[in-house]
Amino acid sequence: MTDRNPGDEVLSPDMRTLLRVVPDLWPTDRPQLKGYVVGALAMLVLAKAAVLLTPFVYRDAVDALSPSNDVALLAVPVFLVIAYGVTRLAGAGFQQLRDLLFAPVGQHALRQLGLRVFRHIHKLSMGYHISRKTGALSRVVDRGIKAIDFLLRNLLFSLVPLLLELCAVAVIFAVEFGLIYVVVLLLTVVVYVTFTFTVTEWRVKIRMVMNAQDQDAHQKAVDSLLNYETVKYFSAEDREAHRYDQAMAGYQKAALKTASSLAVLNVGQALILGASVTGVMLLTAFRVADGTLTVGAFVMANAFMLQIMVPLNFLGYFYRETRQSLVDMRELYAVADLVPELQDQPGAMARQPGPGHVRFEGVVFGYDPERRILEGIDFEIAPGATVAVVGPSGAGKSTITRLLFRFYDVDEGRITLDGQDLREITQTSLREAIGVVPQDTVLFNDTIGYNIAYGRDGASRDDIEAAARAARIHDFIASLPEGYETTVGERGLKLSGGEKQRVTIARMILKNPAVLILDEATSALDTATEQAIQAELNRLSEGRTVLMIAHRLSTVVAADEVLVIADGRIAERGTHEALLALGGRYADLWERQATEHV
């Protein structure tokens, strides 16, 4: 989801990051929101005009009250006091209207950005998701979205108006008081900005360390909670708490440095602004004393200086938060700019309907170029047939299923479905045709009905119940107090292994794929549950092309062909009976498993 321009290479990394936010301020996908942007800008101009007018009214009100206490002239200062109040209220009111008008634009932009990032993360390859840390990734996305929210709210409606206000005040000082006031103002701004930027650069480095410690602590917490059962198995609560505490200690150290550096920044800024205001007030006081300026001019100068302190203080805050936000945004965009290793080829077509004929032709593959997992795999699965793949752990059995589902592309050879090379088919249409029943069934932390309905978008309640009946789980669901609205818990932990597998089978019945992959779907179950689930899997497999990865050989007896994988190659192939008669690797495995179950 990159959106860079050819000239971006001449810009600094911060500027490139900043410019990526700008298009979100002008929502092209929602033209009606452009009117809100224009309205917000209009309110911004009116608010700044009111703010700049207020000190003038203040001056005139003070001067009108000073010369005489004549009751006949009281109407003039009263009017000016009222006008002063109106201008202050107008400034605040227009600012609130500005924020109100821009709120829909900002929220829409954040929603679209979050959606783009979410979609992009799902497009990244299996290799990325295997190696990523979920807790750290969620932290990066969360901080990045918040950083962009800050910039959307402040870039257009705070930074630019601040610069314009500084210029306007400089012009007013030059006209009303003289160039010496402009020199003091500009000197204040230069010293203030230089000090703020220098200290903030130092603070940004501390913030980066704090972010890293924060991600580490968050990741450890998430990892520990996801592995709650493992922690309990080894009575490792204290160990996990110590591990988390160590990570938080690193974060605490960095956070204390951040707080200390913030104190240095705030004190320095206060000294600079205090000295500037004092200097301007002394200059004005001397000129009031010699009659060059009025008392009203004194309070006007004071009002402008106090008024300018607010945006100057904001400038320090804005720069500080912008630099910190840019750190967070760069991390987010680093994820957004990752190029998926697996993409649809130009001109890729949707899968053509077919019976589900699968062929592996000379397939060579390795996750690492230095270590090949599969070497010259050749086999086919005729429509409606079942081929089982067996072999020792690490032989490459599950890799075959990942290649068929196209989580990875082959290094050499090809895989076809109904004669179409998988690389020439869109990933979406390919995966719609293939269903997977994995060994480790992980469900969404939602209702049973939702998890079954995941098999087909838009499935009706009748469809869901029909699938549950076919998977022999409807009666169990109906017996629950909340029925199909029962929440299954994190990763489906409220259900037993057999219940989770039946939910998966129901979900697959709903999907109704042409090709079915059974990846050791019953190896984690006890024998009685395995036999029951195997019967459901056999019913699910009827009329479909099935690739079965098996650990327990008793599940592959009825397969049309059994492939024995060893060292990345097909060492033996044939029916169950033929392989037993061969007396080779398969026969040894069968005998060993039979002995284990005696």
Side-chain angles (χ1 to χ4, degrees), residues 300-381:
M300 184 176 82
N302 182 63
F304 269 121
M305 287 305 296
L306 293 177
Q307 194 166 289
I308 215 67
M309 284 178 66
V310 175
L312 270 180
N313 271 326
F314 174 80
L315 179 63
Y317 165 78
F318 183 81
Y319 180 75
R320 181 171 68 247
E321 291 300 315
T322 297
R323 291 291 289 117
Q324 293 171 356
S325 294
L326 285 170
V327 171
D328 297 336
M329 286 169 59
R330 277 202 298 271
E331 292 178 354
L332 174 65
Y333 283 131
V335 174
D337 288 339
L338 289 172
V339 179
E341 295 178 18
L342 204 67
Q343 301 186 60
D344 289 339
Q345 292 183 0
M349 300 176 61
R351 170 186 172 265
Q352 298 301 311
H357 190 170
V358 174
R359 287 183 63 90
F360 278 64
E361 302 174 7
V363 169
V364 175
F365 175 77
Y367 298 104
D368 186 330
E370 303 300 319
R371 178 173 173 265
R372 287 182 170 177
I373 302 298
L374 300 177
E375 289 276 6
I377 298 296
D378 279 285
F379 69 90
E380 68 176 299
I381 313 175

Side-chain angles (χ1 to χ4, degrees), residues 123-140:
K123 288 181 181 178
L124 295 176
S125 66
M126 172 69 82
Y128 170 80
H129 284 281
I130 287 176
S131 61
R132 65 142 164 68
K133 294 181 178 180
T134 305
L137 178 62
S138 68
R139 209 66 160 181
V140 166

Side-chain angles (χ1 to χ4, degrees), residues 135-198:
L137 178 62
S138 68
R139 209 66 160 181
V140 166
V141 173
D142 182 54
R143 279 203 310 262
I145 295 293
K146 288 180 179 177
I148 292 172
D149 178 37
F150 169 81
L151 286 176
L152 284 175
R153 286 185 290 106
N154 293 286
L155 180 66
L156 185 60
F157 296 127
S158 297
L159 180 60
V160 173
L162 164 61
L163 298 176
L164 292 176
E165 186 173 355
L166 286 172
C167 293
V169 171
V171 171
I172 292 170
F173 272 8
V175 173
E176 296 288 334
F177 301 104
L179 291 177
I180 185 63
Y181 285 79
V182 178
V183 171
V184 173
L185 178 63
L186 294 179
L187 185 62
T188 300
V189 171
V190 170
V191 173
Y192 183 91
V193 169
T194 302
F195 172 78
T196 299
F197 285 15
T198 302

